[in-house]
Amino acid sequence: MKYQISQKVENLAPSGIRAFFDLVLGMKDVISLGVGEPDFMSPWHIREEAIHSLEQGFTSYTSNKGMPELRKEICRHMSHRFGVKYDFDEETLITVGVSEALDLVVRAILNPGDAVIIHQPCYVSYGPVVELAGGDPIVIQTRVEDGFKVTPEQIEKAYTKKTRAIMLNYPCNPTGASYTKAELNALCKVIKKLDLLVISDEVYDELTYDFDHTPISALPGMKERVIYMNGFSKSYAMTGFRIGWACGPKPIIDAMTKIHQYTMLCASITGQIAACEALKNGTKSVQEMKREYNRRRRFVVSGLNDLGLTCHMPQGAFYVFPSIKNTGMSSMDFAQNLLKEQKVALVPGVAFGHDCEGYVRISYASSYDNLKEALTRIGEFLK
Amino acid sequence: MDEILEILSNNARVTPAEIAKMTGKSESSVKSAIKKYENNGTILAYKTVIDQDQLKGARPCVRALIEVSVSPQKKVGFEAVAERIYSFPEVVSCYLVSGAYDLLVVVEGENLQTVSNFVATKLSSLDQVRGTATHFLLKKYKEDGHILKKKDDDKRLNISY
């Protein structure tokens, strides 16, 4: 039988690196620096709370927006930590990870032909979710000389009359780039001038090393134009629980909730209960993990630079994005050859956009011993 | 706690050069900080944590936790009697605690007999010791923050965005 696939899905850029991923997944004894999730397990107090909830029989649906207790806890966190006040009932939605929130927001705000500015390198779903929602992604290519940060000039240049929103991700997967308050203020000035919405994915916020993280909605006059997104996956090492959230203006949260109730219904209750515990008692675990990541960050950056792979110091997340240009290899060849010759896996830059050639993403969410061994092997590979 | 101490307390084999990279300090300043900690007694020793159960053909060894009630003495309080007790090489740990007894003493010996003998002849016979209760250790699950079990394999996919 010939199966019809929607034109929109057919048109999505095929993931050229799927084959490479499959190769890595099928290989044993690989030291992987290609993993996009923490190497820590969810802290025990969080897992224990989830187990307890199952024993108590919490196995039902929750309200579409998510458990009120969790939404209240999130709003308390946003207010205490960052001084941004959101209403738990009208301005907050619990989603199945930030990934779902991203999909919901573009579907909620875009009409066919509307454009959304995204930056590259960026997380792989940004372009596709905009396209699936009928929008056009407009790409800003961030530059290593700007520390892979979007500049106000780039936003102005990318803007057209059809542009509705800009998607930001900071700290950024895959570059680790993040923005100081002053840098955000400069971006906000032009965002306000152009009357854009900001879809802000701040899932790595707790892993900011060189300065305090500022949510873009915390800046004066920005709350009304920001859909803030965060989740528990990275800060609390809870990727498998699949819990994220969105905070934003009521009309947009309402529209997102409408789609969410028809498509997802609600996020899993076990995950929501675990997330509640994370916010209530998880600060210490977050700080411990952050200190450890920070040490690995410095260790890996210095190690890569010693090997001649130029590497800027990322300010957040758990990735470094070194240049491999001086090897003369494409990022895919580099990744494949390194895997074959030295059994070290990493993600080629092209995975994050066509124009991200010349770079690879290395995740330091791996034990210190693994990182040390991997650096030695990369050194062998480069000889 | 100083980050250098935090790193070394997790893994004493990390070299000063590596600590320097991790912390962004210079190697010489890391070295001199470690020297200072060694000299002023902050760093007491570097040890390897061994799971005794994994040792094949090793001498059998039993451990007991002993609750010891003692009479404190004028001027020196518990210090003198504690020193008399912890000076025995059989004593691996000795703590002054609050509650129903005074000293918690951890004793190690080849077998039940040797530990019992030690308690009867060395510990209970001290003038200041008013009484003891001995608990033989049956299984160790976790010691000094280390779970005594081989680490599980990484459960994550080898590669993901």
Side-chain angles (χ1 to χ4, degrees), chain B residues 73-74 76-87 128:
Chain B
Q73 294 161 286
K74 215 170 173 114
V76 289
F78 292 104
E79 302 302 307
V81 61
E83 186 175 351
R84 290 201 64 163
I85 292 174
Y86 69 61
S87 298
Q128 298 86 350

Side-chain angles (χ1 to χ4, degrees), chain A residues 115-136:
Chain A
V116 176
I117 297 173
I118 65 173
H119 56 80
Q120 274 185 356
C122 71
Y123 182 64
V124 290
S125 81
Y126 292 0
V129 292
V130 171
E131 286 176 46
L132 285 170
D136 294 323

Side-chain angles (χ1 to χ4, degrees), chain A residues 1-211:
Chain A
M1 184 177 170
K2 192 170 185 321
Y3 298 102
Q4 174 183 304
I5 301 297
S6 115
Q7 202 58 56
K8 233 185 232 170
V9 174
E10 286 282 11
N11 290 348
L12 282 183
S15 179
I17 62 158
R18 196 66 256 169
F20 172 69
F21 269 44
D22 288 343
L23 189 67
V24 177
L25 290 173
M27 220 160 148
K28 277 196 174 141
D29 305 323
V30 173
I31 296 189
S32 184
L33 308 182
V35 187
E37 58 180 321
D39 61 314
F40 298 101
M41 250 183 246
S42 316
W44 176 248
H45 68 100
I46 295 172
R47 285 185 278 158
E48 203 270 340
E49 194 68 21
I51 295 166
H52 180 67
S53 79
L54 290 171
E55 284 170 346
Q56 295 293 305
F58 285 97
T59 57
S60 59
Y61 294 131
T62 72
S63 86
N64 294 133
K65 281 186 177 173
M67 296 168 71
E69 195 192 353
L70 175 58
R71 282 182 280 139
K72 281 180 192 165
E73 213 49 65
I74 284 170
C75 293
R76 200 171 296 144
H77 164 77
M78 291 303 293
S79 162
H80 283 186
R81 180 96 166 73
F82 302 118
V84 199
K85 295 209 174 353
Y86 283 108
D87 185 89
F88 84 96
D89 209 26
E90 300 193 325
E91 299 176 315
T92 309
L93 171 66
I94 308 299
T95 57
V96 179
V98 173
S99 292
E100 191 211 349
L102 281 165
D103 179 42
L104 292 178
V105 71
V106 287
R107 284 204 272 166
I109 64 169
L110 295 183
N111 280 322
D114 285 345
V116 176
I117 297 173
I118 65 173
H119 56 80
Q120 274 185 356
C122 71
Y123 182 64
V124 290
S125 81
Y126 292 0
V129 292
V130 171
E131 286 176 46
L132 285 170
D136 294 323
I138 301 174
V139 174
I140 287 178
Q141 193 67 33
T142 57
R143 297 170 295 223
V144 66
E145 55 269 33
D146 299 324
F148 293 109
K149 297 179 199 200
V150 175
T151 66
E153 298 74 34
Q154 286 179 312
I155 298 176
E156 252 180 314
K157 214 172 145 202
Y159 175 84
T160 68
K161 279 192 177 142
K162 297 207 159 170
T163 313
R164 296 287 160 263
I166 174 167
M167 273 189 177
L168 287 179
N169 168 221
Y170 68 96
C172 173
N173 173 9
T175 63
S178 196
Y179 302 85
T180 62
K181 204 170 180 178
E183 287 166 337
L184 286 173
N185 271 320
L187 293 184
C188 290
K189 221 166 138 187
V190 42
I191 286 167
K192 281 187 204 161
K193 191 177 102 187
L194 301 173
D195 197 23
L196 293 176
L197 281 174
V198 183
I199 299 165
S200 194
D201 170 358
E202 303 182 25
V203 73
Y204 291 96
D205 68 338
E206 294 290 356
L207 305 178
T208 303
Y209 307 110
D210 298 331
F211 44 81

Side-chain angles (χ1 to χ4, degrees), chain A residues 209-277:
Chain A
Y209 307 110
D210 298 331
F211 44 81
D212 287 335
H213 180 89
T214 309
I216 196 160
S217 54
L219 295 172
M222 288 302 290
K223 198 188 143 193
E224 59 172 1
R225 60 175 71 248
V226 172
I227 298 92
Y228 169 92
M229 293 171 182
N230 204 335
F232 294 85
S233 297
K234 317 295 177 175
S235 322
Y236 298 94
M238 289 173 63
T239 47
F241 283 97
R242 307 304 307 123
I243 303 294
W245 79 84
C247 285
K250 180 174 186 297
I252 295 178
I253 292 293
D254 281 349
M256 290 167 71
T257 308
K258 226 188 230 178
I259 307 171
H260 174 78
Q261 77 183 7
Y262 292 133
T263 54
M264 202 59 74
L265 211 161
C266 67
S268 108
I269 189 169
T270 314
Q272 293 191 54
I273 289 171
C276 229
E277 169 63 19

